[in-house]
Amino acid sequence: MKLKLFLPLALTIMAVEAYSQDTIFIQPSELPDLIQCLPAPPDSMSAAFNYDMSRYIWGKSMRGDTAKVAMVKRDAVWTIDALLTSLSEAFGMNITKDGTPEIYKLLEKSILTADPMRVAPKAHFNRKRPFAYFGDAPLFADDEKFRNEGSYPSGHTMRGWLAALILADINPQRANEVYRRAWIYCENRVIAGAHWQSDIDVTRAGASIAFSSLQLSSEYQKQLKKAQKEFKKLNP
């Protein structure tokens, strides 16, 4: 029991050490604990898990669409640049470190602030990923390294939905498009077989918790104003 309790804490500390003070808005110790906030994953005998399995089957049925699979593969790339490229069209302009430095900085620091929140829950719940549960090969070979890593909550969803909430704050006129694309971005992890539908659903709530926490940071608010000012300058 002591080992089980110690492991999430140790993993969280390791994740935090990867980031310097200048790259985050809020210290991880000051953020809500998602182990306490989120419910446990659905029991294998529950109706919710039956729905998870049906969605896994649905996801596999989508893999015959080559254009869709290409999008799923692009969305699976684990970099902030790749995420922002996926959301740029919906946002209405390209988001890059050089072209939109203030918007990029806001997104980057926000994502790095929220990233550690998912580490301890993954270890605590230690939920088997769908492709591992069914003994399948993952859709993409790169996901094989996650076979023994917990799927609950979803890191991609945490990043994607948090980014959407922030981008909609910068450009409210494109909020519908941003949220729609972010929804698909998260759903694509089900098609990849890397996450259960319930992983995705609960992580959107987790991302919203992270977003609400960021609102309390004066540094976040200062950077948000800079990002909004930059957006207005580029879109007079």
Side-chain angles (χ1 to χ4, degrees), residues 59-75 139-140 188 191:
K60 292 186 74 172
S61 75
M62 298 296 291
R63 298 177 188 178
D65 184 336
T66 55
K68 182 64 173 175
V69 169
M71 175 193 279
V72 175
K73 186 172 184 178
R74 290 193 300 272
D75 286 356
L139 178 59
F140 307 121
N188 282 344
I191 296 174

Side-chain angles (χ1 to χ4, degrees), residues 105-168:
K105 183 177 181 180
L106 176 67
L107 270 294
E108 181 180 45
K109 287 190 70 171
S110 297
I111 289 169
L112 293 180
T113 297
D115 265 349
M117 295 177 71
R118 65 184 167 79
V119 177
K122 276 183 176 289
H124 176 78
F125 294 115
N126 195 28
R127 190 183 196 190
K128 189 170 288 189
R129 290 179 182 268
F131 71 83
Y133 180 88
F134 288 104
D136 293 340
L139 178 59
F140 307 121
D142 285 350
D143 280 336
E144 180 60 42
K145 62 180 176 286
F146 300 127
R147 182 174 289 273
N148 296 316
E149 180 190 285
S151 71
Y152 188 95
S154 162
H156 281 79
T157 302
M158 176 70 79
R159 288 181 164 202
W161 200 247
L162 176 61
L165 291 165
I166 295 169
L167 290 174

Side-chain angles (χ1 to χ4, degrees), residues 19 22-25 80-81 84 95 97 101-115 159 162-163 166 223:
Y19 309 127
D22 294 335
T23 62
I24 57 176
F25 288 117
I80 292 173
D81 285 347
L84 298 183
I95 309 165
K97 184 177 290 188
E102 301 297 353
I103 296 173
Y104 186 96
K105 183 177 181 180
L106 176 67
L107 270 294
E108 181 180 45
K109 287 190 70 171
S110 297
I111 289 169
L112 293 180
T113 297
D115 265 349
R159 288 181 164 202
L162 176 61
I166 295 169
Q223 188 58 41

Side-chain angles (χ1 to χ4, degrees), residues 93 102-103 226-236:
M93 63 184 296
E102 301 297 353
I103 296 173
K226 290 180 181 178
Q228 291 170 328
K229 182 178 179 180
E230 178 179 75
F231 176 77
K232 290 179 180 178
K233 182 179 179 180
L234 294 172
N235 294 269

